[in-house]
Amino acid sequence: MSANPLLQLDYEPSLERLGDDYYDLVAAAEFPAHILRFRNDDLLPTLGLEPQAVSDAAFIEAFGAFQGVRPFLALRYHGYQFGEYNPALGDGRGFLYGQVRGTDGVLYDLGTKGSGTTPYSRGGDGRLTLKGGVREVLAAEALHRAGVNTSRCLSLIETGEALWRGDEPSPTRSSVMIRMQQSHIRFGTFERLHALDRKDLIAILLDHVIEVYYPHLWGRSDRYALLYAELVQRVAELTAQWMSAGFCHAVLNTDNMAITGESFDYGPFAFIPTFDPSFTAAYFDHFGRYSYGRQPAICRWNLEMLQRPLERVISSSDLEAGLAPFNAHYEQAYRQRMLNKLGFDGSNLELDELLKLTLTLLKETQIGYHSFFAEIAQQFSSDWRDDVDNMFSQASVSPGEFANLWHNWKNSYFNALLSLPEAEMDAIATRLRTHNPTTTPLRPEIERVWDAIAQQDDWQSFYTLLQQIQAH
Ligand code: AMP
Ligand code: MG
């Protein structure tokens, strides 16, 4: 018997038990090389493992060479891609490796990306580029640090193949990733069942989702409507998390929307350099459908499309009532998170003017979105409350032609601090540091990290950047 703790995890065949209407059994590709480039020791305790008890060789055996006897499930799904319905989707370069109950009681999916072809590869190679893997690791860790409900990468293994891609200098290096999140069941999983006219399977899958991921709704006769209403709330909150974290997902197709309301699947994503709602991350998104500022509207549209399959088992009036509060949920969550980024707990109603002014400042001056908040967090001191001139003594924000705006913003922030008791200042300092990462991986930084890897096989800047991202 293998002594590999990753192979000996207590895998639960939760989705597998539903039967093969939802997946195909597939095998992993055999790769010519396995070089462990990233292992996420932060996640191992959740899997009940001590990091020092899991060797690099164990990672490679389980998540690169795919030894062991687990059945691998390529999940079936359809989806709306850039507004067009596509029935030819499904796991084309990944599969559900296994499901494990975490020490927190939550059931987690371990899913692969880049593990070889499946019946859904559509002529693709089933592979993940190493650069794509490096970018997804960085995105997930940065989003996690920013407080976004996100998937995370458990491992990234370089696999020694040469890949050809239109959007990377080719040949380019290959990798396989393990991604950990609650569920890979997508809106598109239901869309497929609707297209196949399988109301029975929609109900079975909804019950499964409720039992595993919304257990507090289990047993309720109105559980489907309640599930949809809660999903609407979760997605509104997730969208507010992306927007406040200054993140543009870039490909918000319905096959990239999880039924658990988690964020996952990072391809051409970008953290916004400046506050610009029209910022678009994917070079192929010609009309800005998935621009930074359109994310709330698009997520709402995706939820609306999900009503088509759900209409089979939920009345349209319940669906409408479920979706109606989306904007209110979003606004409330966005306000809360932005006030947190400014150091406040969100209970103070008078701060809405400050919030508006902050967004105007960021938009008009086009100063760095992330550096602005990081600098408040780093420079904040309780003497900001004594005199407005104490604020931002070393600001890199240059007032220039925006002197008035800058002056107004400082006064507004100063007055907000004055409206609170002095004893609150420590809590403000703590909140500022919690909600504003010191380092956010903007594109030029990620390109620098990748250039070092591509040109000199130098991984140090990748590991250094990861450390900076995770720092508090
Ligand atoms: P994504 O844009 O990563 O969400 O992928 C959209 C669809 O394309 C999914 O069905 C993927 O499995 C599939 N896909 C993406 N890249 C590849 C590839 N290199 N080989 C096979 N299928 C792929
Ligand atoms: Mg996807």
Side-chain angles (χ1 to χ4, degrees):
M1 207 167 110
S2 165
N4 185 337
L6 295 171
L7 295 178
Q8 289 179 326
L9 286 170
D10 195 7
Y11 289 99
E12 282 185 29
S14 179
L15 191 60
E16 191 189 329
R17 255 189 237 120
L18 294 187
D20 60 6
D21 286 310
Y22 305 94
Y23 55 79
D24 292 72
L25 293 178
V26 293
E30 282 181 32
F31 297 111
H34 308 99
I35 310 164
L36 183 65
R37 295 302 188 185
F38 172 71
R39 48 179 281 172
N40 202 333
D41 284 357
D42 208 24
L43 294 175
L44 291 176
T46 307
L47 295 173
L49 300 172
E50 292 289 331
Q52 60 275 21
V54 187
S55 65
D56 289 358
F59 269 97
I60 285 170
E61 186 188 26
F63 300 147
F66 296 98
Q67 301 296 313
V69 291
R70 301 214 39 72
F72 300 142
L73 319 181
L75 305 182
R76 300 175 180 178
Y77 52 83
H78 294 176
Y80 285 93
Q81 297 189 305
F82 288 88
E84 297 287 325
Y85 193 73
N86 187 350
L89 289 173
D91 278 344
R93 55 167 162 174
F95 51 70
L96 181 61
Y97 178 94
Q99 296 177 282
V100 185
R101 181 79 48 189
T103 49
D104 52 6
V106 172
L107 185 68
Y108 288 100
D109 278 7
L110 302 186
T112 65
K113 188 170 184 177
S115 50
T117 53
T118 75
Y120 306 102
S121 300
R122 292 180 293 162
D125 59 7
R127 284 2 187 221
L128 171 66
T129 67
L130 183 60
K131 183 179 185 185
V134 161
R135 281 175 45 82
E136 179 151 344
V137 169
L138 292 170
E141 290 309 296
L143 288 172
H144 173 71
R145 169 62 184 85
V148 175
N149 180 12
T150 179
S151 67
R152 292 174 77 188
C153 302
L154 181 57
S155 63
L156 182 68
I157 292 172
E158 182 169 359
T159 47
E161 295 179 322
L163 306 180
W164 295 86
R165 289 290 184 275
D167 52 2
E168 282 184 40
S170 297
T172 189
R173 290 152 73 174
S174 64
S175 68
V176 64
M177 166 192 296
I178 299 291
R179 182 200 281 150
M180 182 163 147
Q181 69 191 63
Q182 282 200 52
S183 179
H184 284 77
I185 298 173
R186 308 139 194 267
F187 292 13
T189 313
F190 291 93
E191 285 159 349
R192 168 179 167 269
L193 299 173
H194 176 57
L196 297 180
D197 214 5
R198 294 297 300 268
K199 175 182 171 177
D200 56 329
L201 297 182
I202 291 178
I204 292 170
L205 192 62
L206 278 177
D207 278 329
H208 168 79
V209 165
I210 290 169
E211 187 179 4
V212 182
Y213 307 107
Y214 296 76
H216 48 286
L217 305 180
W218 186 244
R220 303 269 309 240
S221 60
D222 51 353
R223 61 190 177 282
Y224 298 153
L226 292 174
L227 164 73
Y228 181 69
E230 187 169 334
L231 176 64
V232 167
Q233 172 150 12
R234 287 191 193 188
V235 172
E237 282 167 8
L238 175 64
T239 315
Q241 290 167 11
W242 287 333
M243 295 302 287
S244 58
F247 182 73
C248 182
H249 180 287
V251 193
L252 289 176
N253 294 332
T254 59
D255 54 304
N256 285 339
M257 300 285 297
I259 198 69
T260 42
E262 297 159 281
S263 168
F264 77 114
D265 209 2
Y266 306 119
F269 77 88
F271 285 93
I272 53 168
T274 60
F275 186 71
D276 170 10
S278 71
F279 176 87
T280 303
Y283 68 90
F284 47 83
D285 186 359
H286 304 295
F287 303 104
R289 179 181 174 88
Y290 299 139
S291 66
Y292 167 70
R294 279 181 52 85
Q295 294 183 115
I298 275 297
C299 286
R300 193 186 181 286
W301 187 86
N302 289 341
L303 285 161
E304 200 179 323
M305 289 304 107
L306 182 62
Q307 294 189 353
R308 295 183 180 176
L310 298 189
E311 246 168 16
R312 303 251 182 175
V313 295
I314 307 174
S315 73
S316 352
S317 56
D318 277 351
L319 286 167
E320 259 168 56
L323 186 58
F326 178 89
N327 289 359
H329 285 318
Y330 169 75
E331 291 298 340
Q332 202 250 333
Y334 180 69
R335 174 183 181 279
Q336 173 69 39
R337 294 188 77 93
M338 292 306 288
L339 288 178
N340 286 160
K341 282 177 82 66
L342 290 167
F344 305 102
D345 69 4
S347 61
N348 196 333
L349 287 177
E350 285 95 77
L351 293 179
D352 284 342
E353 258 330 287
L354 171 65
L355 182 49
K356 243 202 213 144
L357 203 50
T358 304
L359 294 177
T360 306
L361 179 81
L362 289 167
K363 195 167 174 195
E364 295 298 317
T365 61
Q366 289 291 293
I367 50 177
Y369 181 85
H370 302 278
S371 54
F372 174 74
F373 289 104
E375 281 197 22
I376 303 182
Q378 281 150 25
Q379 294 185 33
F380 179 79
S381 130
S382 54
D383 70 9
W384 281 23
R385 197 174 167 279
D386 302 330
D387 184 342
V388 68
D389 287 331
N390 290 342
M391 290 177 61
F392 270 120
S393 41
Q394 316 127 36
S396 69
V397 181
S398 153
E401 57 178 309
F402 302 104
N404 260 345
L405 203 48
W406 184 227
H407 176 79
N408 290 346
W409 183 84
K410 284 209 313 193
N411 271 313
S412 178
Y413 198 74
F414 176 69
N415 286 325
L417 295 178
L418 270 189
S419 73
L420 297 170
E422 179 144 24
E424 257 298 290
M425 295 305 112
D426 283 351
I428 299 236
T430 304
R431 255 182 242 118
L432 284 170
R433 283 193 302 272
T434 305
H435 297 282
N436 298 303
T438 31
T439 301
T440 300
L442 300 183
R443 268 196 180 150
E445 190 57 37
I446 299 179
E447 288 301 313
R448 266 194 292 280
V449 162
W450 174 250
D451 285 346
I453 295 170
Q455 287 160 21
Q456 291 124 41
D457 204 27
D458 171 3
W459 287 79
Q460 196 46 53
S461 46
F462 171 60
Y463 299 126
T464 304
L465 180 58
L466 270 175
Q467 265 174 3
Q468 289 167 344
I469 285 171
Q470 290 155 350
H472 271 263

